[in-house]
């Protein structure tokens, strides 16, 4: 059933639990590494024909129930006026980090068809390629996570520069998040117009914040984006990691589906979120390195915990790591489908 992912997002009954994997296209796949030997990460993103190929790689070799656009959450930074690159071994590097009121003022809110037309073209091509196979997910970075890259200038462990800016320049912080929210809102809407059938908002690093700080500095901005995008009727997945203390606040900000990481049992997290939302998760990506019987029993534990309640999308709690064995990922997708198929349907 090719629409079981979208059905689960809407909490409708499904034949078997749908599954896809965050970062399902990437370096753990030999086909991806072969293309990366010839093109840089940004070349792959900026060339629609190549981005289509990379998106389809996992769809062809793993029994996933959704395709996720191949792109990166940082792509909007360049048309905003903050160019960056991926440095080998270091991750992203933003050439001129944003650390002043003036730097925030200089950032531009752009039209997605102008600034990121190549991503929208990739989506349009993908819909043609995928017709009848599985739905297509678009995505964007959430304002806090994007702001953290802009301010830190790259990856960070403690987010001290981000928090310093947030605490010492609250007006500029809110102006920055407002610009990022407007860019994200337009970008997600443009992706939906171009053919995305669901979208995921990645607030990967928001778990660094206390509940109070989340509610003060982040939630109003995210809420504005999610409320607007949900009006399209397309399911919106609201994702973060390290968010065990933030789940209720993230739910209040919005999302048709809430992403849950592995730090709390999925059923407990779902109860806190409320059963009027769908959930996505929550296999520990590091557990993919375990021997197969362990992988299987941990996947079984998640499915047993959910017990067939409609509205579960099986996924990892965060992205696949580059050294993950492909075969384990394939077996896990097959197992999720076969195990769910053996189970008795649950009481409504
Ligand atoms: O999921 C998918 O298959 C779709 C593609 C996708 C990528 N990045 C490709 C990518 C998606 C959805 C992302 C999102 C993304 N990018 C996030 C949020 C998700 C998360 O993991 O929390 C973040 C924080 C980024 C920023 C980013 N992009 C970092 C920190 C890095 C470097 C990581 C590293 O290990 O080097 C990237 C690069 C990147 N984005 C790669 C891929 C496949 C690796 C590029 C390469 O081939 O070298």
């Amino acid at each position: 059933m090719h629409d079981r992912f979208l059905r689960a997002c809407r909490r409708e009954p499904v034949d078997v639990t749908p599954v896809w994997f965050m970062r399902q296209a990437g370096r753990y796949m030999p086909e991806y590494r072969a293309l990366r030997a010839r093109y840089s990460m940004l070349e792959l993103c900026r060339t629609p024909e190549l981005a289509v190929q990379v998106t389809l790689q996992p769809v062809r070799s793993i029994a996933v129930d959704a395709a996720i656009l191949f792109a990166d959450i940082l792509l909007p930074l360049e048309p905003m006026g903050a160019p960056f690159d991926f440095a080998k071994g270091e991750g992203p590097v933003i050439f001129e980090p944003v650390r002043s009121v003036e730097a925030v003022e200089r950032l531009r809110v752009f039209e997605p068809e102008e600034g990121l037309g190549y991503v929208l073209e990739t989506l349009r091509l993908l819909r043609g390629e995928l017709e009848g196979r599985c739905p297509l997910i678009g995505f964007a970075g959430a304002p806090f996570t994007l702001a953290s890259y802009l301010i830190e200038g790259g990856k960070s462990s403690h987010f001290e520069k981000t928090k310093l800016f947030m605490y010492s320049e609250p007006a500029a912080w809110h102006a920055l998040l407002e610009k990022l929210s407007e860019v994200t809102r337009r970008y997600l809407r443009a992706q939906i117009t171009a053919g995305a059938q669901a979208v995921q908002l990645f607030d990967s690093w928001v778990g660094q914040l206390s509940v109070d700080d989340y509610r003060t500095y982040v939630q109003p901005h995210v809420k504005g984006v999610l409320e607007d995008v949900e009006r399209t009727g397309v399911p919106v997945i609201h994702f973060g990691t390290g968010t065990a203390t933030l789940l209720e606040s993230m739910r209040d900000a919005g999302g048709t589906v809430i992403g849950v990481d592995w730090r709390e049992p999925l059923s407990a997290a779902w109860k806190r979120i409320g059963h009027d939302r769908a959930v996505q998760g929550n296999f520990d990506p590091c557990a993919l390195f375990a021997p197969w019987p362990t992988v299987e029993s941990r996947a079984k534990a998640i499915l047993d915990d959910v017990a067939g309640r409609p509205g579960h999308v099986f996924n990892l709690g965060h992205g696949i790591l580059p050294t993950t064995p492909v075969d384990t990922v394939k077996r896990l997708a097959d197992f999720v489908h076969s195990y769910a198929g053996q189970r008795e349907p649950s009481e409504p």
Side-chain angles (χ1 to χ4, degrees):
M1 205 163 52
H2 74 267
D3 68 339
R4 61 169 80 99
F5 161 73
L6 292 173
R7 292 180 60 87
C9 290
R10 297 190 217 102
R11 290 179 293 112
E12 292 165 9
V14 283
D15 57 342
V16 297
T17 304
V19 53
W20 68 281
F21 300 103
M22 286 184 276
R23 293 277 181 104
Q24 64 191 21
R27 285 170 295 189
Y28 75 109
M29 297 192 84
E31 306 91 296
Y32 177 83
R33 290 197 302 271
L35 268 183
R36 273 287 277 114
R38 294 164 53 200
Y39 304 100
S40 73
M41 165 70 187
L42 286 176
E43 281 168 339
L44 291 181
C45 294
R46 287 175 183 150
T47 315
E49 292 72 20
L50 294 175
V52 166
Q53 270 190 55
V54 178
T55 304
L56 295 177
Q57 286 174 347
V59 175
R60 291 194 170 123
S61 62
I62 305 168
V64 287
D65 294 298
I68 179 160
L69 161 75
F70 186 79
D72 197 87
I73 61 163
L74 301 179
L75 296 178
L77 301 187
E78 189 190 38
M80 287 187 82
F84 68 94
D85 204 353
F86 293 105
K88 207 169 164 45
E90 272 176 65
V93 178
I94 285 81
F95 301 142
E96 287 179 43
V98 171
R99 293 177 189 156
S100 67
V101 178
E102 297 72 30
V104 172
E105 280 167 0
R106 281 196 297 270
L107 291 172
R108 288 187 296 271
V109 174
F110 61 93
E111 283 307 326
E113 284 288 354
E114 283 163 28
L116 292 171
Y118 58 88
V119 176
L120 303 174
E121 178 60 15
T122 301
L123 287 166
R124 286 188 285 265
L125 292 173
L126 276 168
R127 272 305 291 279
E129 295 282 335
L130 284 165
E131 215 47 74
R133 166 63 179 88
C134 66
L136 174 61
I137 305 173
F139 68 91
F144 174 81
T145 293
L146 291 178
S148 79
Y149 281 104
L150 276 175
I151 297 169
E152 303 290 335
K155 67 175 182 201
S156 173
S157 309
H158 302 290
F159 296 83
E160 61 268 35
K161 295 188 182 72
T162 306
K163 291 185 184 183
L164 171 66
F165 194 69
M166 193 167 95
Y167 298 138
S168 57
E169 298 283 355
W173 169 267
H174 285 294
L176 172 60
L177 262 72
E178 215 26 61
K179 277 193 178 175
L180 290 167
S181 299
E182 183 56 18
V183 164
T184 303
R185 190 187 73 74
R186 291 185 194 184
Y187 185 36
L188 287 175
R189 276 197 167 253
Q191 290 188 32
I192 291 165
T193 305
Q197 291 153 291
V199 291
Q200 177 155 327
L201 188 71
F202 282 95
D203 215 347
S204 305
W205 311 133
V206 78
Q208 291 290 330
L209 296 178
S210 69
V211 177
D212 275 354
D213 283 351
Y214 179 79
R215 289 193 169 260
T216 307
Y217 296 103
V218 176
Q219 194 193 48
H221 302 285
V222 178
K223 194 164 191 256
V225 175
L226 291 174
E227 270 176 1
D228 182 71
V229 177
E230 281 189 276
R231 255 180 242 128
T232 61
V234 156
V236 182
I237 307 164
H238 186 186
F239 165 82
T241 69
T243 52
T245 54
L246 294 180
L247 287 174
E248 292 89 349
S249 309
M250 287 177 66
R251 171 209 60 207
D252 290 347
T256 326
V257 183
I258 307 292
V260 176
D261 77 13
W262 59 92
R263 292 169 177 87
E264 188 175 21
L266 189 52
S267 64
W270 201 350
K271 202 168 164 198
R272 287 173 48 208
I273 290 163
H275 294 128
D276 59 341
R277 307 293 179 102
V279 289
Q280 174 174 283
N282 72 341
F283 194 94
D284 182 345
C286 286
L288 287 169
F289 296 101
W292 174 253
T294 306
V295 176
E296 186 181 291
S297 71
R298 295 179 69 121
K300 184 171 174 298
I302 292 173
L303 293 165
D304 286 343
D305 184 35
V306 167
R309 183 185 288 282
H312 174 218
V313 176
F314 193 100
N315 202 320
L316 309 177
H318 202 172
I320 295 187
L321 295 160
T323 50
T324 303
V326 185
D327 199 50
T328 306
V329 181
K330 289 184 188 169
R331 283 179 84 174
L332 177 56
D334 291 340
F335 175 76
V336 170
H337 290 149
S338 66
Y339 186 71
Q342 286 156 16
R343 176 166 45 65
E344 291 297 308
S346 70
E347 296 297 313

